[in-house]
């Protein structure tokens, strides 16, 4: 009996370990390939890379030859910062309101705010374009910010809501019993305790905005070029190796930011809720 149990446990462990290894290869493999390709000495994207060189990173920093990429980066960062900031304010306020509403009303409000994550991105981008066009607006950074705001706010709502669910109500009762008003209680008790969740949500909203393609694709124009759209165009036209260099830079920056946020806010735990 013990032998059968140990054999079954060994088989289970082998299967789970194999699946985990396969998942790791699928997830990490493409990232490693892109990083390796970005250091190629060749004029075209190919793997394995032909030689080793930093030439494409140097070209990426060239203000003249990479002017369009720099402009796209500037637009992307501007949109991401503003959208993440507004999403942090709106998502935090929504999470606070939903936490005080019990029953079906609270669940309905939560589902309504989270619905943009369920909708197909391309469908939402097209719907946003048609809606703003009917209102008479033309593609601009402001419209992209509005579209991104709808998409990234649920990330803030989820992390802040998770922090509020872990908040001990006794602390709020103690604050009120000591004579503190709602504003003072929020500023001195609630806000410091949910601050890590707010920071984690702001980070996730920022990264989701930077990486957003569907909304940017439909709401951008030649003057409001966004980095993902610029990279897609470079891949379609010339297979420019600078795309790999941009990807390598984004991977490195995202990895460093993730480490910082994990250290400061426990990002992984906030995402699990």
């Amino acid at each position: 009996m013990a032998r059968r149990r140990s054999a079954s446990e060994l088989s289970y462990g082998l299967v789970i370990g194999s699946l985990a290894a396969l998942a790791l290869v699928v997830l990490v493999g493409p990232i490693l390939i892109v990083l390796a390709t970005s250091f190629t000495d060749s004029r075209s994207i190919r793997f394995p890379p032909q030689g080793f060189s930093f030439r494409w990173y140097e070209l990426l920093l060239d203000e003249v030859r990479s002017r369009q990429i720099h402009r796209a980066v500037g637009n992307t960062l501007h949109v991401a910062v503003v959208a993440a900031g507004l999403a942090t304010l709106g998502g935090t306020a929504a999470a606070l309101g939903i936490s005080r509403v019990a029953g079906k009303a609270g669940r309905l409000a939560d589902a309504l705010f989270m619905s943009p994550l369920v909708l197909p991105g391309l469908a939402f981008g097209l719907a946003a374009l048609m809606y703003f066009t009917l209102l008479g607006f033309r593609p601009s950074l402001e419209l992209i910010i509005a579209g991104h705001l709808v998409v990234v706010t649920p990330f803030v709502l989820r992390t802040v809501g998770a922090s509020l669910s872990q908040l001990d109500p006794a602390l709020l009762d103690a604050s009120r019993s000591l004579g503190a008003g709602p504003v003072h209680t929020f500023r001195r008790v609630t806000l410091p305790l949910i601050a890590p969740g707010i920071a984690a949500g702001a980070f996730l909203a920022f990264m989701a905005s930077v990486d957003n393609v569907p909304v940017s694709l439909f709401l951008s124009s030649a003057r409001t070029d966004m980095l993902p759209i610029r990279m897609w165009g470079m891949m379609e036209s010339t297979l420019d190796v600078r795309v790999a260099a941009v990807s390598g830079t984004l991977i490195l920056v995202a990895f460093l930011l993730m480490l910082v946020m994990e250290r400061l806010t426990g990002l992984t735990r906030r995402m699990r809720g």
Side-chain angles (χ1 to χ4, degrees):
M1 196 65 183
R3 290 183 178 180
R4 290 182 180 179
R5 183 177 302 174
S6 61
S8 62
E9 291 177 354
L10 180 59
S11 301
Y12 177 79
L14 288 175
V15 171
I16 296 299
S18 300
L19 292 176
L22 179 61
L24 187 63
V25 170
V26 172
L27 293 174
V28 180
I31 296 176
L32 297 179
I33 291 175
V34 169
L35 288 175
T37 305
S38 67
F39 293 104
T40 184
D41 191 34
S42 174
R43 291 181 175 272
S44 61
I45 297 179
R46 61 176 62 182
F47 186 84
Q50 305 296 316
F52 180 87
S53 174
F54 288 98
R55 60 181 297 190
W56 300 110
Y57 286 94
E58 295 174 357
L59 182 60
L60 188 63
L61 297 176
D62 192 303
E63 295 183 1
V64 177
R65 301 178 64 180
S66 298
R67 180 181 304 172
Q68 293 181 332
I69 297 178
H70 293 177
R71 184 178 62 182
V73 170
N75 290 339
T76 300
L77 291 178
H78 172 73
V79 169
V81 169
V82 176
L86 295 176
T88 301
L89 294 176
T92 301
L96 289 170
I98 292 174
S99 66
R100 298 176 182 178
V101 179
K104 294 183 179 180
R107 292 193 296 270
L108 179 62
D110 183 73
L112 180 64
F113 275 97
M114 298 301 295
S115 60
L117 295 182
V118 181
L119 295 175
L122 290 175
F124 174 77
L126 178 59
L129 174 62
M130 296 176 63
Y131 176 73
F132 288 130
T133 301
L134 289 175
L135 293 179
F137 294 105
R138 295 182 178 180
S140 63
L141 288 180
E142 288 73 20
L143 290 189
I144 299 176
I145 291 173
H148 283 205
L149 180 61
V150 175
V151 176
V152 304
T153 298
F155 292 100
V156 182
L157 178 64
R158 179 54 62 223
T159 57
V160 176
S163 297
L164 287 171
S165 65
Q166 300 172 6
L167 184 63
D168 189 355
L171 297 175
L172 305 181
D173 294 337
S175 177
R176 286 191 291 265
S177 66
L178 292 174
V183 176
H184 188 78
T185 298
F186 173 77
R187 184 169 61 88
R188 299 300 298 271
V189 179
T190 306
L191 185 59
L193 292 176
I194 67 173
I198 296 176
F203 170 73
L204 293 175
F206 175 83
M207 296 304 300
S209 177
V210 170
D211 191 48
N212 188 283
V213 174
V215 176
S216 301
L217 178 64
F218 284 101
L219 298 182
S220 64
S221 64
R223 294 185 178 181
T224 58
D225 195 13
M226 303 292 287
L227 183 59
I229 310 304
R230 169 56 52 185
M231 294 173 65
W232 180 261
M234 293 167 64
M235 284 290 295
E236 276 191 326
S237 58
T238 60
L239 286 177
D240 198 323
V241 186
R242 285 179 299 174
V243 174
V246 173
S247 301
T249 303
L250 290 175
I251 291 171
L252 178 61
V253 172
F255 180 73
L256 294 177
L257 289 176
M258 186 178 65
L259 289 180
V260 172
M261 293 304 298
E262 179 67 29
R263 179 72 175 179
L264 296 178
T265 67
L267 180 62
T268 305
R269 178 167 53 85
R270 303 290 171 183
M271 292 176 66
R272 289 198 301 263

